[in-house]
Amino acid sequence: MDAARSPGSLVCVGLGMTLGSHLGPLARSHIEQADVVFAALSDGVVELWLNRMHKDVRSLQPYYREGSSRMNTYWQMVEAMLTEIRAGKRVCGVFYGHPGVFAWVPHKAIEIARDEGYRAHMEPGVSAEDCLYADLGIDPGAYGCQHFEASQLLFYQRRIDPTAYLILWQVGVVGDQSMTRFSTNAAYRQVLVDVLAHDYPLRHEVIVYRAATLPIERPRIDRIALGALPQAKIGMAETVVLPPARPLQANPDILARLDALDRAVDLKAHPMH
Protein backbone atom coordinates (compact mmCIF):
# COMPACT_ATOMS: atom_id res chain seq x y z
CA MET A 1 0.00 0.00 0.00
CA ASP A 2 1.27 3.48 -0.86
CA ALA A 3 1.29 5.64 2.29
CA ALA A 4 0.92 8.79 0.19
CA ARG A 5 -2.48 7.52 -1.09
CA SER A 6 -3.61 6.18 2.28
CA PRO A 7 -5.70 8.72 4.17
CA GLY A 8 -5.69 6.73 7.39
CA SER A 9 -3.06 7.66 9.97
CA LEU A 10 -2.10 7.09 13.59
CA VAL A 11 -0.41 9.20 16.22
CA CYS A 12 0.02 8.07 19.83
CA VAL A 13 0.38 10.84 22.40
CA GLY A 14 0.77 11.05 26.16
CA LEU A 15 -1.34 13.07 28.57
CA GLY A 16 1.41 12.97 31.16
CA MET A 17 0.72 11.85 34.71
CA THR A 18 -1.09 14.78 36.34
CA LEU A 19 -4.42 15.86 34.84
CA GLY A 20 -4.11 19.02 32.76
CA SER A 21 -0.58 19.83 33.92
CA HIS A 22 1.51 17.80 31.49
CA LEU A 23 -0.37 17.94 28.19
CA GLY A 24 1.74 19.76 25.62
CA PRO A 25 0.38 21.89 22.77
CA LEU A 26 1.46 19.41 20.07
CA ALA A 27 -0.32 16.49 21.75
CA ARG A 28 -3.42 18.65 22.24
CA SER A 29 -3.37 19.56 18.56
CA HIS A 30 -3.23 15.91 17.50
CA ILE A 31 -6.20 15.11 19.75
CA GLU A 32 -8.29 17.99 18.44
CA GLN A 33 -7.54 17.26 14.77
CA ALA A 34 -8.17 13.50 14.91
CA ASP A 35 -11.30 11.87 13.50
CA VAL A 36 -11.32 9.25 16.27
CA VAL A 37 -9.60 9.29 19.67
CA PHE A 38 -8.85 6.08 21.60
CA ALA A 39 -7.96 6.50 25.27
CA ALA A 40 -6.19 4.36 27.86
CA LEU A 41 -5.97 6.61 30.90
CA SER A 42 -5.34 6.37 34.63
CA ASP A 43 -8.90 6.95 35.88
CA GLY A 44 -12.42 7.99 34.91
CA VAL A 45 -11.93 11.64 35.87
CA VAL A 46 -9.13 11.97 33.33
CA GLU A 47 -11.33 10.33 30.67
CA LEU A 48 -14.13 12.82 31.38
CA TRP A 49 -11.66 15.67 30.97
CA LEU A 50 -10.48 14.25 27.64
CA ASN A 51 -14.08 13.95 26.43
CA ARG A 52 -14.34 17.73 26.61
CA MET A 53 -11.59 17.99 23.98
CA HIS A 54 -13.12 15.73 21.31
CA LYS A 55 -16.59 14.49 20.37
CA ASP A 56 -15.53 10.90 19.59
CA VAL A 57 -13.40 9.51 22.44
CA ARG A 58 -13.48 5.73 22.79
CA SER A 59 -12.18 4.26 26.02
CA LEU A 60 -9.90 1.23 25.82
CA GLN A 61 -10.47 0.35 29.48
CA PRO A 62 -13.51 -1.94 28.84
CA TYR A 63 -11.19 -4.38 27.06
CA TYR A 64 -9.63 -5.29 30.43
CA ARG A 65 -11.35 -8.26 32.06
CA GLU A 66 -10.37 -10.20 35.16
CA GLY A 67 -9.15 -13.65 34.16
CA SER A 68 -8.50 -12.67 30.55
CA SER A 69 -4.92 -12.58 29.33
CA ARG A 70 -3.60 -9.03 29.15
CA MET A 71 -1.91 -9.93 25.87
CA ASN A 72 -5.30 -10.80 24.34
CA THR A 73 -6.60 -7.49 25.68
CA TYR A 74 -3.70 -5.61 24.13
CA TRP A 75 -4.29 -7.20 20.74
CA GLN A 76 -7.97 -6.23 20.89
CA MET A 77 -6.96 -2.62 21.57
CA VAL A 78 -4.53 -2.63 18.65
CA GLU A 79 -7.16 -4.08 16.32
CA ALA A 80 -9.74 -1.49 17.42
CA MET A 81 -7.41 1.33 16.39
CA LEU A 82 -6.28 -0.35 13.17
CA THR A 83 -9.89 -0.89 12.08
CA GLU A 84 -10.44 2.87 12.06
CA ILE A 85 -7.08 3.58 10.39
CA ARG A 86 -7.92 1.12 7.62
CA ALA A 87 -11.24 2.91 7.18
CA GLY A 88 -9.31 6.06 6.30
CA LYS A 89 -9.64 7.82 9.67
CA ARG A 90 -7.07 10.00 11.38
CA VAL A 91 -6.68 8.14 14.65
CA CYS A 92 -5.12 9.49 17.84
CA GLY A 93 -4.28 7.09 20.65
CA VAL A 94 -4.08 8.87 24.00
CA PHE A 95 -2.26 7.17 26.86
CA TYR A 96 -1.46 8.31 30.37
CA GLY A 97 2.14 9.23 31.03
CA HIS A 98 4.46 8.61 28.09
CA PRO A 99 2.83 6.55 25.31
CA GLY A 100 5.98 4.50 24.79
CA VAL A 101 6.85 3.66 28.42
CA PHE A 102 5.41 0.37 29.71
CA ALA A 103 2.89 0.57 26.89
CA TRP A 104 2.89 -2.37 24.46
CA VAL A 105 -0.20 -1.28 22.54
CA PRO A 106 1.09 2.02 21.07
CA HIS A 107 4.35 0.46 19.89
CA LYS A 108 2.58 -2.49 18.25
CA ALA A 109 -0.16 -0.36 16.66
CA ILE A 110 2.42 1.99 15.15
CA GLU A 111 4.51 -0.94 13.90
CA ILE A 112 1.58 -2.63 12.15
CA ALA A 113 0.19 0.62 10.74
CA ARG A 114 3.58 1.45 9.20
CA ASP A 115 3.91 -2.08 7.82
CA GLU A 116 0.55 -1.62 6.10
CA GLY A 117 1.63 1.67 4.56
CA TYR A 118 -0.04 4.18 6.86
CA ARG A 119 1.58 7.21 8.44
CA ALA A 120 2.11 6.51 12.13
CA HIS A 121 4.29 8.03 14.82
CA MET A 122 4.56 8.70 18.55
CA GLU A 123 4.85 11.95 20.49
CA PRO A 124 6.57 11.78 23.90
CA GLY A 125 4.86 12.65 27.16
CA VAL A 126 5.72 13.16 30.82
CA SER A 127 6.16 9.69 32.32
CA ALA A 128 5.98 8.33 35.87
CA GLU A 129 9.78 8.11 35.69
CA ASP A 130 10.03 11.86 35.05
CA CYS A 131 7.74 12.58 38.01
CA LEU A 132 9.72 10.17 40.19
CA TYR A 133 12.98 12.03 39.60
CA ALA A 134 11.31 15.33 40.51
CA ASP A 135 9.31 14.12 43.52
CA LEU A 136 12.11 12.06 45.08
CA GLY A 137 14.91 14.46 44.22
CA ILE A 138 16.88 11.85 42.29
CA ASP A 139 19.41 12.82 39.64
CA PRO A 140 19.94 9.70 37.50
CA GLY A 141 23.37 11.01 36.56
CA ALA A 142 24.64 11.02 40.14
CA TYR A 143 24.93 7.26 40.68
CA GLY A 144 23.09 5.80 37.69
CA CYS A 145 19.73 4.03 37.60
CA GLN A 146 18.68 0.51 36.78
CA HIS A 147 15.06 0.00 35.73
CA PHE A 148 13.40 -3.42 35.71
CA GLU A 149 9.87 -4.65 35.34
CA ALA A 150 9.57 -6.51 38.64
CA SER A 151 8.38 -9.84 37.22
CA GLN A 152 11.09 -9.81 34.57
CA LEU A 153 13.63 -9.46 37.37
CA LEU A 154 12.29 -12.71 38.84
CA PHE A 155 11.80 -14.67 35.62
CA TYR A 156 15.28 -14.07 34.22
CA GLN A 157 18.82 -13.93 35.52
CA ARG A 158 19.49 -10.21 35.67
CA ARG A 159 22.49 -8.46 37.18
CA ILE A 160 21.74 -5.90 39.89
CA ASP A 161 24.18 -3.09 40.61
CA PRO A 162 23.62 -2.04 44.25
CA THR A 163 25.82 1.05 43.81
CA ALA A 164 23.10 2.57 41.59
CA TYR A 165 19.42 3.29 42.16
CA LEU A 166 17.24 0.27 41.44
CA ILE A 167 13.76 1.17 40.18
CA LEU A 168 11.17 -1.61 39.98
CA TRP A 169 7.97 -1.19 38.00
CA GLN A 170 4.64 -3.03 38.29
CA VAL A 171 5.47 -4.56 41.66
CA GLY A 172 1.73 -4.87 42.30
CA VAL A 173 1.56 -7.80 39.87
CA VAL A 174 5.04 -9.20 40.49
CA GLY A 175 5.36 -12.89 39.74
CA ASP A 176 2.19 -13.19 37.66
CA GLN A 177 3.08 -15.67 34.91
CA SER A 178 -0.48 -15.91 33.58
CA MET A 179 -0.82 -12.22 32.62
CA THR A 180 -4.45 -12.45 33.77
CA ARG A 181 -4.27 -10.90 37.25
CA PHE A 182 -4.55 -7.30 38.34
CA SER A 183 -2.64 -7.98 41.57
CA THR A 184 -0.55 -10.56 43.37
CA ASN A 185 -0.28 -11.01 47.13
CA ALA A 186 2.37 -10.77 49.83
CA ALA A 187 3.74 -14.25 49.10
CA TYR A 188 4.74 -13.14 45.60
CA ARG A 189 6.37 -9.97 46.93
CA GLN A 190 8.27 -12.13 49.41
CA VAL A 191 9.86 -13.94 46.46
CA LEU A 192 10.95 -10.54 45.14
CA VAL A 193 12.41 -9.63 48.53
CA ASP A 194 14.28 -12.94 48.67
CA VAL A 195 15.88 -12.16 45.29
CA LEU A 196 16.78 -8.61 46.32
CA ALA A 197 18.22 -9.84 49.64
CA HIS A 198 21.21 -11.23 47.73
CA ASP A 199 22.33 -7.64 47.16
CA TYR A 200 20.58 -5.59 49.88
CA PRO A 201 20.17 -6.04 53.65
CA LEU A 202 16.57 -6.51 54.77
CA ARG A 203 16.83 -3.29 56.78
CA HIS A 204 17.74 -1.31 53.64
CA GLU A 205 15.32 1.56 53.05
CA VAL A 206 13.10 1.31 50.00
CA ILE A 207 10.65 3.90 48.72
CA VAL A 208 7.13 3.02 47.60
CA TYR A 209 6.18 5.72 45.10
CA ARG A 210 3.10 6.70 43.12
CA ALA A 211 2.88 9.85 41.02
CA ALA A 212 -0.06 12.19 41.50
CA THR A 213 -2.68 11.91 38.76
CA LEU A 214 -4.93 14.76 39.90
CA PRO A 215 -3.81 18.33 40.73
CA ILE A 216 -5.36 18.06 44.21
CA GLU A 217 -3.35 14.92 45.03
CA ARG A 218 0.09 14.54 46.52
CA PRO A 219 2.45 11.80 45.32
CA ARG A 220 2.75 8.75 47.53
CA ILE A 221 6.23 8.55 49.07
CA ASP A 222 6.48 5.87 51.75
CA ARG A 223 9.86 4.84 53.11
CA ILE A 224 9.98 1.34 54.57
CA ALA A 225 12.51 -1.42 55.18
CA LEU A 226 13.02 -3.93 52.37
CA GLY A 227 11.92 -6.71 54.71
CA ALA A 228 8.53 -5.00 55.18
CA LEU A 229 7.78 -4.81 51.45
CA PRO A 230 5.57 -7.95 51.29
CA GLN A 231 3.11 -6.43 53.78
CA ALA A 232 3.01 -3.00 52.13
CA LYS A 233 -0.08 -1.90 50.21
CA ILE A 234 1.05 -1.89 46.58
CA GLY A 235 -1.14 -1.57 43.51
CA MET A 236 -0.54 -1.44 39.77
CA ALA A 237 0.47 2.23 39.91
CA GLU A 238 3.13 1.90 42.62
CA THR A 239 6.84 1.88 41.84
CA VAL A 240 9.50 0.66 44.27
CA VAL A 241 12.84 2.48 44.46
CA LEU A 242 15.92 1.08 46.17
CA PRO A 243 18.59 3.74 46.80
CA PRO A 244 22.22 2.67 46.46
CA ALA A 245 23.34 0.23 49.15
CA ARG A 246 27.09 0.49 48.53
CA PRO A 247 29.47 3.28 47.54
CA LEU A 248 30.89 3.45 44.05
CA GLN A 249 34.11 1.48 43.72
CA ALA A 250 37.01 2.98 41.80
CA ASN A 251 38.45 1.00 38.88
CA PRO A 252 42.24 1.38 39.32
CA ASP A 253 43.22 -0.36 36.08
CA ILE A 254 41.06 1.89 33.93
CA LEU A 255 42.07 5.00 35.86
CA ALA A 256 45.73 4.10 35.27
CA ARG A 257 45.10 3.78 31.52
CA LEU A 258 43.32 7.13 31.45
CA ASP A 259 46.18 8.77 33.39
CA ALA A 260 48.61 7.45 30.79
CA LEU A 261 46.47 8.88 28.00
CA ASP A 262 46.30 12.24 29.79
CA ARG A 263 50.11 12.32 30.07
CA ALA A 264 50.47 11.50 26.37
CA VAL A 265 48.04 14.27 25.42
CA ASP A 266 49.82 16.77 27.67
CA LEU A 267 53.18 15.78 26.19
CA LYS A 268 51.94 16.43 22.66
CA ALA A 269 50.44 19.75 23.66
CA HIS A 270 53.53 20.84 25.56
CA PRO A 271 56.57 19.05 24.10
CA MET A 272 59.78 19.26 26.09
CA HIS A 273 62.52 21.39 24.55
Side-chain angles (χ1 to χ4, degrees):
M1 184 181 295
D2 184 352
R5 296 197 299 269
S6 304
S9 65
L10 171 65
V11 58
C12 292
V13 306
L15 279 191
M17 297 304 298
T18 305
L19 174 64
S21 303
H22 298 158
L23 178 64
L26 185 56
R28 179 185 288 272
S29 175
H30 283 302
I31 293 169
E32 293 173 343
Q33 295 177 20
D35 296 316
V36 182
V37 174
F38 287 92
L41 303 175
S42 53
D43 58 51
V45 174
V46 181
E47 277 197 11
L48 288 173
W49 180 78
L50 180 63
N51 270 282
R52 294 163 52 187
M53 297 175 58
H54 198 281
K55 66 180 184 300
D56 190 1
V57 176
R58 306 178 190 181
S59 176
L60 293 172
Q61 292 299 333
Y63 289 98
Y64 286 108
R65 293 182 179 86
E66 186 77 42
S68 176
S69 168
R70 285 194 295 278
M71 189 53 63
N72 289 338
T73 298
Y74 297 156
W75 274 114
Q76 290 171 353
M77 293 177 177
V78 169
E79 190 58 34
M81 290 193 286
L82 286 171
T83 296
E84 297 300 327
I85 297 167
R86 292 164 183 153
K89 303 287 184 65
R90 292 172 298 176
V91 174
C92 182
V94 182
F95 300 85
Y96 70 90
H98 188 302
V101 177
F102 285 92
W104 187 89
V105 171
H107 285 292
K108 182 55 67 173
I110 289 172
E111 175 190 332
I112 295 175
R114 287 175 174 171
D115 286 346
E116 295 185 6
Y118 299 101
R119 290 178 292 111
H121 74 284
M122 180 182 292
E123 295 290 348
V126 177
S127 69
E129 178 186 350
D130 300 313
C131 296
L132 182 152
Y133 293 144
D135 291 335
L136 301 186
I138 293 174
D139 181 352
Y143 301 103
C145 289
Q146 283 188 307
H147 294 259
F148 292 111
E149 198 276 336
S151 291
Q152 189 184 89
L153 183 65
L154 299 187
F155 298 162
Y156 301 96
Q157 299 181 32
R158 308 304 301 267
R159 296 179 62 182
I160 294 174
D161 179 1
T163 68
Y165 283 93
L166 176 63
I167 302 176
L168 300 176
W169 301 91
Q170 299 182 337
V171 175
V173 290
V174 66
D176 175 25
Q177 300 181 74
S178 68
M179 291 192 70
T180 62
R181 303 174 188 169
F182 294 119
S183 65
T184 51
N185 62 29
Y188 288 84
R189 290 195 294 277
Q190 184 61 55
V191 177
L192 175 63
V193 169
D194 292 344
V195 170
L196 294 172
H198 292 292
D199 295 286
Y200 301 89
L202 291 178
R203 65 180 182 278
H204 187 68
E205 180 184 270
V206 305
I207 304 166
V208 180
Y209 172 77
R210 181 181 65 242
T213 58
L214 299 175
I216 59 173
E217 290 181 339
R218 299 290 300 167
R220 177 186 177 184
I221 304 174
D222 291 339
R223 300 175 188 273
I224 62 175
L226 174 61
L229 188 62
Q231 285 70 46
K233 185 177 180 180
I234 298 179
M236 289 282 285
E238 268 73 19
T239 300
V240 174
V241 180
L242 284 78
R246 303 176 195 168
L248 292 167
Q249 299 293 313
N251 188 330
D253 293 338
I254 295 299
L255 289 172
R257 286 182 61 187
L258 294 173
D259 286 342
L261 289 173
D262 288 343
R263 288 193 296 272
V265 170
D266 289 342
L267 188 60
K268 286 184 178 180
H270 305 95
M272 298 178 62
H273 298 289

